[in-house]
Amino acid sequence: MRIPFGTLRTRVARRVLLLFVLCAVLPVSALSLISYYSVRNQLLGESRDRLGDMVKNAGVALAERFQFLESTARLALVPLVQEQGWGEPGLPGGPAPEGPEGFTDALLVLPDQEPRALFGEMPPPPPLTQEERAHLSAGLSLVRVRHTTEASPEILMALELRGPGGSPSYLWIQLELNYLLSSASGYSTLPSTAGFCVLEQSQEPLFCTLSNEEAFLRTLRDQPASTPRDPTDPIHSFLDWTDDAGEDYIAATRDIFLKPQLFLPGLTVSVSESRSDALSTMTTFRSGFLGVVFVGLLAVALLSNLQIRKSLGPLGELKKGTQRLAEGDFRERVSVSSRDEFEDLADSFNSMATRLESQFNVLETIGEIDRAVLSELDSDLIIETCLLRAEDLLSFDQAAVCRLAWLGSGEGTLRVSTAKTGAVGSEMRVLLSPEDLALLSGAEEAISLMDPELASQYFGGRAAAADVTTAVIVPLKFQEGLGGFLAVGRKEESSFSEDDLSRTQQLAKQLSVALANAWLLEELERMSWGALTALARAIDAKSPWTSGHSERVATFSLSIGRAMGLDETDLTALQRGGLVHDIGKIAVPSFILDKEGTLTPEERQVVQSHPEEGVRILEPIAAMEEILPMVLHHHEHYDGSGYPMGLEGDQIPLFARIMAVADHFDALSSGRPYRSGFSLEKTTAKLREEAGRTLDQEVVSALLGLLDAGELPIQLPRSVGEQERDGAS
């Protein structure tokens, strides 16, 4: 069975589910967590109490074991000493082979004699202090801990005996550690999961069953045990510690005060148990408890989800419908039959989708027209594109666009498109009357014409009256003034709707923007070329011998570039460079340019500086950046003998190589102060002679090909001048 969770994808469904969580799941979950942790903390508390009882029992048992061993020593070993004698010379006796249970070694220390072993092999004990002698004289026993190099320390017990002469003797007994900590002491009765340790007052271990003894001792030294839970039992405390493997433990400690009885500074008994073992019963409890909580919450969640799905299913359908609208799909409709407000909302949604479908189709068409129109910079192409695409936007029989020759003038050109044929007619010249100009200039909105005679005049005259009975005329206004009009006409006598008028005005605005941009670019282009041509003529006017030189070089360079297959962008740059290539000659004095004789070295140096001077003049103009290499290198020679940088071969930019050939060709064919222009035959001979040496062979071949085909617009003299001067072109 598939559980339906689809409705939880809607915001309203999630909001309802969130409300359910806040009102039901959250309190239940909070109570479950509180109950769980309460039980857990209670179990930890009981575990601490249990460990406290264990350590208390173990401490009491250890003290009782010391008392038991003291009593055993007095009852079993003192008679043994008396039986064997006190060690006077000549008395029989000797060490027994072994002692009673719980004792490993026994040694009798007599005054002024060598210590005598009763059984075992005990090294001599350390000397007694004055306090220890007084303690023993009171009839009490004494316990010492002696540390050796062996793994376990030695536990020694001393008793004072009175010999025949009344002198005190001392019986030293080594206690068996395992017997001392046997079942009577309580540690062997601890659970298998618990660890048992007996520590000295200095926290050095006497005995410890923990596998992580070092970690426990390190924690005990660094972190004092917590205060006991029972204020009446101040020697009872707890400690939480972690072993090197990351396992957490609970420890209970208890101090045993043995100094009054045994003159022992004190021992600490500790019992540790891992937290996981202490909480082992929580595993079963957690599995059952959390399982019940989870099943209960799941059942409530499923029932809530079913109810949410039933109530909010229609909302999901509406959401899908809006998503389809957002993706541009306006054809699908929403089907809801809930017999409530959702069904009314679905009907309204379907009505809105129908209107949006119509509106978006219009907007899409307008956008396509906008992109097509604004992507063009040619006025004729803009008008043709607009007329061809207008039928996708408007319902008409004929559409026309008039573009005035200049802003506000009555002269213009008209192009008409017929809906039946889908073709755009050729341009026709029209002349608008002053009344028409006044009407269009003063109109702020579309003009509706219901008179067939008046309407037909905007589509080419009376000949179109049979095809147009009603029309809408929208002026095309630029920022500077009236630029033309857009006319849409129908054969039927019916008025245009508000939507038709709005779309027609929108199309006219698009057309106005596109034509205004094209007109502005055309004006800028004409101004740019006019300025460059004027600058070229100003350069050439410096000397009567160079009149028209720059324009001819630009024309020749353009022809050569076109023959070599350059694109229109490169050809435009080449033409611009040709017009200003000699602008640096402004810095050359006129007497040098017009000198008839041979130039001096100083004068030649001035002439050869004009490429660099030209770059210096044009460099501040950002638009001239691409033609600077032509200006700088058009006097470089292919063999590297040119100036100003002595470049050779392909190091010279291609446009500069083309300009060098055009410049050389015009210099040879034009008159100079020192010679007449060469004939065509001698000019071509000179070019062939320089090809591959000072001029690029490929460029020269292109120029000669144009000459042979008669495609170079030149007029060369037939007479040949005999005097030549190098570097003066």
Side-chain angles (χ1 to χ4, degrees), residues 219-232:
T219 305
L220 186 62
R221 296 186 187 105
D222 297 340
Q223 178 184 344
S226 62
T227 56
R229 302 203 317 173
D230 185 359
T232 63

Side-chain angles (χ1 to χ4, degrees), residues 391-435:
E391 191 175 358
D392 298 333
L393 181 64
L394 304 171
S395 174
F396 62 85
D397 294 303
Q398 284 197 355
V401 174
C402 175
R403 181 182 59 170
L404 299 182
W406 64 90
L407 298 182
S409 71
E411 298 181 13
T413 56
L414 182 72
R415 300 193 70 179
V416 181
S417 171
T418 303
K420 291 181 180 180
T421 62
V424 179
S426 58
E427 259 185 6
M428 64 179 73
R429 298 186 63 82
V430 295
L431 181 63
L432 300 181
S433 65
E435 293 78 8

Side-chain angles (χ1 to χ4, degrees), residues 237-555:
S237 57
F238 299 96
L239 177 71
D240 294 330
W241 62 282
T242 304
D243 64 7
D244 296 334
E247 181 76 16
D248 293 328
Y249 285 82
I250 306 170
T253 62
R254 184 180 179 85
D255 295 333
I256 305 174
F257 298 100
L258 301 174
K259 190 169 184 179
Q261 181 181 359
L262 302 176
F263 207 79
L264 189 63
L267 296 177
T268 300
V269 179
S270 174
V271 177
S272 297
E273 186 177 22
S274 68
R275 188 180 291 266
S276 59
D277 292 332
L279 298 175
S280 59
T281 56
M282 286 294 295
T283 303
T284 305
F285 172 77
R286 181 173 57 245
S287 300
F289 178 74
L290 295 181
V292 171
V293 173
F294 176 75
V295 170
L297 292 178
L298 181 62
V300 176
L302 289 177
L303 294 175
S304 300
N305 180 63
L306 292 175
Q307 185 63 29
I308 293 172
R309 178 182 175 85
K310 180 179 179 181
S311 301
L312 300 182
L315 185 60
E317 293 297 322
L318 289 171
K319 180 182 177 181
K320 293 178 182 178
T322 56
Q323 289 175 342
R324 289 195 296 267
L325 287 182
E327 295 169 357
D329 183 4
F330 302 97
R331 295 171 296 177
E332 295 293 332
R333 297 294 180 262
V334 175
S335 176
V336 175
S337 58
S338 59
R339 297 181 181 179
D340 54 16
E341 288 79 2
F342 281 114
E343 185 172 351
D344 297 336
L345 182 60
D347 294 338
S348 300
F349 177 85
N350 291 333
S351 176
M352 179 188 67
T354 302
R355 290 183 58 83
L356 284 176
E357 181 178 10
S358 175
Q359 293 293 332
F360 271 94
N361 289 337
V362 170
L363 290 175
E364 184 177 1
T365 303
I366 290 176
E368 292 176 358
I369 294 174
D370 197 20
R371 288 189 295 271
V373 168
L374 294 180
S375 64
E376 297 290 347
L377 297 177
D378 184 272
S379 298
D380 292 333
L381 290 178
I382 291 173
I383 293 174
E384 184 175 352
T385 301
C386 180
L387 291 174
L388 289 175
R389 299 301 303 272
E391 191 175 358
D392 298 333
L393 181 64
L394 304 171
S395 174
F396 62 85
D397 294 303
Q398 284 197 355
V401 174
C402 175
R403 181 182 59 170
L404 299 182
W406 64 90
L407 298 182
S409 71
E411 298 181 13
T413 56
L414 182 72
R415 300 193 70 179
V416 181
S417 171
T418 303
K420 291 181 180 180
T421 62
V424 179
S426 58
E427 259 185 6
M428 64 179 73
R429 298 186 63 82
V430 295
L431 181 63
L432 300 181
S433 65
E435 293 78 8
D436 292 334
L437 288 176
L439 178 64
L440 293 173
S441 298
E444 297 296 334
E445 297 181 352
I447 304 170
S448 297
L449 299 176
M450 303 300 293
D451 186 348
E453 185 175 354
L454 293 176
S456 62
Q457 293 179 1
Y458 290 91
F459 296 90
R462 298 182 179 276
D467 297 326
V468 176
T469 58
T470 59
V472 172
I473 315 299
V474 183
L476 303 179
K477 292 185 177 182
F478 302 166
Q479 188 173 1
E480 296 80 3
L482 181 65
F485 64 82
L486 168 66
V488 177
R490 292 177 180 172
K491 188 179 294 185
E492 299 178 358
E493 294 184 1
S494 60
S495 60
F496 287 82
S497 66
E498 290 295 329
D499 288 342
D500 292 334
L501 293 176
S502 176
R503 295 171 189 174
T504 305
Q505 287 180 319
Q506 190 167 4
L507 180 60
K509 288 180 181 179
Q510 292 174 294
L511 186 57
S512 297
V513 173
L515 290 177
N517 291 339
W519 175 80
L520 181 60
L521 289 175
E522 290 171 1
E523 286 296 313
L524 290 175
E525 187 74 10
R526 285 192 292 269
M527 290 178 62
S528 175
W529 285 113
L532 287 176
T533 303
L535 183 60
R537 291 178 181 178
I539 297 168
D540 296 342
K542 189 174 180 65
S543 172
W545 301 97
T546 58
S547 178
H549 169 70
S550 296
E551 293 181 69
R552 290 193 299 274
V553 169
T555 301

Side-chain angles (χ1 to χ4, degrees), residues 450-696:
M450 303 300 293
D451 186 348
E453 185 175 354
L454 293 176
S456 62
Q457 293 179 1
Y458 290 91
F459 296 90
R462 298 182 179 276
D467 297 326
V468 176
T469 58
T470 59
V472 172
I473 315 299
V474 183
L476 303 179
K477 292 185 177 182
F478 302 166
Q479 188 173 1
E480 296 80 3
L482 181 65
F485 64 82
L486 168 66
V488 177
R490 292 177 180 172
K491 188 179 294 185
E492 299 178 358
E493 294 184 1
S494 60
S495 60
F496 287 82
S497 66
E498 290 295 329
D499 288 342
D500 292 334
L501 293 176
S502 176
R503 295 171 189 174
T504 305
Q505 287 180 319
Q506 190 167 4
L507 180 60
K509 288 180 181 179
Q510 292 174 294
L511 186 57
S512 297
V513 173
L515 290 177
N517 291 339
W519 175 80
L520 181 60
L521 289 175
E522 290 171 1
E523 286 296 313
L524 290 175
E525 187 74 10
R526 285 192 292 269
M527 290 178 62
S528 175
W529 285 113
L532 287 176
T533 303
L535 183 60
R537 291 178 181 178
I539 297 168
D540 296 342
K542 189 174 180 65
S543 172
W545 301 97
T546 58
S547 178
H549 169 70
S550 296
E551 293 181 69
R552 290 193 299 274
V553 169
T555 301
F556 297 156
S557 299
L558 189 62
S559 299
I560 296 172
R562 189 175 288 111
M564 294 180 69
L566 300 183
D567 58 30
E568 289 299 324
T569 302
D570 292 338
L571 292 176
T572 300
L574 196 60
Q575 186 178 8
R576 294 172 64 195
L579 289 174
V580 296
H581 76 285
D582 272 343
I583 192 173
K585 286 186 177 180
I586 292 177
V588 180
S590 299
F591 74 89
I592 296 178
L593 295 176
D594 297 337
K595 186 175 181 178
E596 297 183 1
T598 303
L599 299 178
T600 64
E602 292 78 11
E603 292 171 341
R604 187 180 304 279
Q605 185 175 2
V606 173
V607 172
Q608 292 182 352
S609 69
H610 80 274
E612 294 173 298
E613 287 294 329
V615 171
R616 185 180 64 82
I617 294 171
L618 297 176
E619 197 170 23
I621 306 175
M624 297 293 180
E625 182 178 0
E626 62 178 343
I627 66 175
L628 293 181
M630 308 179 217
V631 176
L632 182 63
H633 300 298
H634 71 278
H635 277 295
E636 301 283 0
H637 290 171
Y638 201 73
D639 60 1
S641 62
Y643 62 89
M645 300 178 65
L647 302 181
E648 61 178 323
D650 291 342
Q651 293 178 344
I652 307 171
L654 174 61
F655 291 177
R657 282 179 271 155
I658 293 174
M659 195 169 297
V661 173
D663 188 37
H664 199 68
F665 176 76
D666 187 70
L668 291 174
S669 60
S670 302
R672 290 292 184 267
Y674 48 86
R675 64 164 173 80
S676 301
F678 293 154
S679 65
L680 179 60
E681 291 80 6
K682 188 168 184 179
T683 298
T684 55
K686 285 280 189 180
L687 289 175
R688 289 189 176 93
E689 182 181 338
E690 296 298 326
R693 189 173 68 85
T694 62
L695 302 177
D696 188 337

Side-chain angles (χ1 to χ4, degrees), residues 23-85:
C23 296
V25 177
L26 189 60
V28 172
S29 300
L31 289 175
S32 299
L33 290 175
I34 292 173
S35 301
Y36 174 78
Y37 281 104
S38 296
V39 173
R40 182 176 180 273
N41 293 335
Q42 180 67 26
L43 188 59
L44 283 175
E46 292 177 356
S47 298
R48 291 178 186 272
D49 293 340
R50 179 169 50 84
L51 291 177
D53 293 338
M54 291 180 184
V55 76
K56 181 178 181 180
N57 294 334
V60 172
L62 182 59
E64 291 176 350
R65 177 60 68 170
F66 273 116
Q67 294 177 358
F68 174 76
L69 290 176
E70 179 188 3
S71 300
T72 302
R74 292 186 184 278
L75 294 175
L77 295 183
V78 172
L80 181 63
V81 172
Q82 294 174 349
E83 289 176 4
Q84 294 185 359

